[in-house]
């Protein structure tokens, strides 16, 4: 049964492992241990492309490994031949999931390890600045490093298998698996990950020293709409907004800061705006996940995806035992 499973999987497995090997070689060739990883637009494009492959890898596994694994056999009717050879349904499905699951976890784990090693020298330097990211805990880098790519790959694989069992049509299952996996990847950092651990809330005074930017609007750029203060290094900022003395969010600061002259080249207006904001009782509310929680969040998110994979596996066995004929 293991030999048959490998025969069915080997073409897509070889393709995925060849892609992973090629990307790993590219990382090894371009590694600069003592320098930032990026030093220009070409490096930026290269970096975004290679790191984005970590996002694509689980999706490819779910679409090309998971979705056809059972759907193709149900569509062609070949599953009946195997079941008539003294192979039980449970053994048939368990072997398929075990072989493909281990291969998926190994591919994702290897690539994540290489990406983590390759991006480490540029952390906080050219890499994170060029990607508009301040640290590895921020969404873009968090999802391509550490443990979570393994959880994503296993989840995508089992998701594809379950959808294949339900739809029994290979192409339809591939499309549905891709759509659902993308939706999960969008929803996770937006609504789930920020609250896996209660974020830190901090209200800080607005001073000239910690004010980093002021936003304006209006025909002469005189209406102040936002103030940004210096954020904790490497943190994932969830909220950075101005509040009044009661703690209510302030949408427009124009009335309180109207005495400051319009900004002009070569003039630092931070002192004036920061003092005016402080005089009117404005403070800055920061809500964030500190950089030190990276591994805790990694562990929790990986556990969630592995638990979801376990539930999908249970559902898959029930469907095969009771609904597939």
């Amino acid at each position: 049964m293991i030999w048959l499973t490998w025969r069915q999987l080997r073409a897509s497995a070889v393709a995925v492992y060849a892609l992973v090997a090629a990307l790993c070689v590219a990382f090894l060739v371009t590694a600069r241990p003592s320098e930032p990883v990026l030093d220009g637009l070409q490096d930026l494009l290269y970096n975004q492309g290679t790191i984005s492959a970590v996002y694509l890898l689980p999706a490819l596994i779910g679409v090309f490994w998971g979705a056809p694994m059972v759907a193709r056999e149900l569509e062609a009717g070949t599953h009946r031949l195997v079941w008539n050879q003294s192979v039980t349904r449970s053994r048939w499905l368990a072997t398929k999931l075990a072989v493909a699951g281990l291969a998926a976890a190994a591919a994702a784990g290897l690539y994540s390890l290489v990406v983590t090693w390759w991006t480490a020298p540029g952390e906080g330097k050219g890499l994170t600045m060029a990607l508009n990211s301040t640290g590895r805990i921020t969404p873009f880098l968090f999802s391509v490093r550490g443990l979570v790519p393994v959880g994503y790959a296993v989840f995508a694989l089992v998701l594809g298998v379950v959808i294949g069992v339900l739809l029994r049509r290979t192409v339809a299952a591939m499309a549905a698996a891709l759509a659902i996996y993308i939706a999960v990847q969008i929803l996770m950092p937006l609504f789930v990950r920020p609250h896996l651990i209660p974020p830190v809330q901090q209200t800080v005074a607005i001073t000239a020293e910690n004010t980093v930017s002021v936003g304006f609007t209006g025909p002469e750029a005189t209406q102040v709409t936002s103030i940004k203060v210096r954020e904790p290094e490497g943190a994932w900022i969830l909220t950075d907004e101005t509040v009044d003395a009661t703690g209510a969010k302030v949408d427009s600061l124009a009335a309180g800061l109207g005495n400051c002259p319009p900004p002009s080249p070569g003039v630092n207006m931070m002192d004036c705006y920061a003092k005016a904001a402080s005089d009117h009782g404005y403070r800055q509310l920061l809500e964030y996940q500190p950089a030190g929680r990276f591994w805790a969040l990694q562990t929790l998110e990986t556990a969630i995806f592995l638990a979801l994979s376990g539930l999908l596996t249970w559902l898959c066995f029930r469907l095969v035992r009771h609904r597939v004929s």
Side-chain angles (χ1 to χ4, degrees):
M1 190 62 212
I2 295 176
W3 175 84
L4 176 61
T5 300
W6 167 246
R7 291 267 300 182
Q8 294 173 329
L9 182 66
R10 64 180 178 181
S12 54
V14 168
V16 168
Y17 270 90
L19 173 63
V20 170
L23 292 172
C24 288
V25 169
F27 280 129
L28 294 172
V29 170
T30 59
R32 285 171 282 180
S34 61
E35 304 174 25
V37 177
L38 300 181
D39 59 4
L41 179 60
Q42 289 183 343
D43 279 339
L44 173 60
L45 294 175
Y46 174 80
N47 179 47
Q48 286 182 321
T50 49
I51 290 184
S52 296
V54 186
Y55 288 93
L56 293 176
L57 184 60
L60 292 175
I61 289 173
V63 171
F64 293 102
W65 292 15
M69 183 183 297
V70 175
R72 182 171 50 206
E73 298 219 35
L74 298 180
E75 196 172 15
T78 55
H79 61 291
R80 297 188 185 94
L81 177 62
V82 178
W83 294 350
N84 287 329
Q85 305 299 316
S86 72
V87 176
T88 64
R89 299 184 181 203
S90 296
R91 180 187 170 194
W92 174 77
L93 181 59
T95 303
K96 283 179 171 291
L97 289 176
V99 172
L102 290 174
L110 173 63
Y111 192 46
S112 173
L113 179 64
V114 175
V115 169
T116 300
W117 168 77
W118 188 73
T119 56
E123 200 168 282
K125 303 176 184 178
L127 171 68
T128 52
M129 292 170 60
L131 296 176
N132 194 26
S133 174
T134 57
R136 62 180 181 172
I137 199 171
T138 51
F140 183 84
L141 292 179
F142 182 90
S143 297
V144 301
R145 302 185 64 169
L147 303 173
V148 292
V150 175
Y152 297 160
V154 175
F155 169 76
L157 173 74
V158 182
L159 175 67
V161 174
V162 170
I163 294 175
V165 174
L166 290 171
L167 299 183
R168 303 192 182 196
R169 294 292 182 270
T170 302
V171 176
M174 293 170 73
L178 179 60
I180 294 174
Y181 178 76
I182 291 175
V184 170
Q185 285 295 297
I186 293 173
L187 294 174
M188 187 70 188
L190 288 178
F191 301 107
V192 180
R193 188 186 303 157
H195 309 290
L196 289 177
I197 302 176
V200 174
Q201 289 189 343
Q202 183 180 8
T203 304
V204 300
I206 300 174
T207 65
E209 290 75 20
N210 69 0
T211 301
V212 296
S213 68
V214 178
F216 300 91
T217 188
E220 297 181 359
T222 57
Q223 181 180 356
V224 180
T225 56
S226 64
I227 292 178
K228 298 295 182 184
V229 298
R230 187 171 292 105
E231 301 167 346
E233 185 177 357
W236 176 20
I237 304 300
L238 305 174
T239 301
D240 183 357
E241 60 187 21
T242 306
V243 297
D244 59 22
T246 67
K249 180 183 177 180
V250 179
D251 294 321
S252 177
L253 291 77
L257 306 181
N259 295 329
C260 291
S264 57
V267 178
N268 185 358
M269 303 302 300
M270 295 301 177
D271 288 344
C272 179
Y273 287 114
K275 184 177 185 306
S278 180
D279 290 344
H280 284 81
Y282 294 147
R283 296 171 67 83
Q284 204 70 8
L285 174 64
L286 295 178
E287 189 177 62
Y288 60 93
Q289 292 288 357
R293 291 182 176 177
F294 174 79
W295 284 111
L297 289 172
Q298 283 268 325
T299 302
L300 287 172
E301 187 162 329
T302 303
I304 288 174
F305 275 94
L306 292 179
L308 289 174
S309 301
L311 289 174
L312 289 173
T313 300
W314 171 82
L315 175 61
C316 193
F317 274 97
R318 282 191 60 86
L319 291 173
V320 168
R321 287 170 181 166
H322 302 293
R323 293 187 56 183
V324 175
S325 58

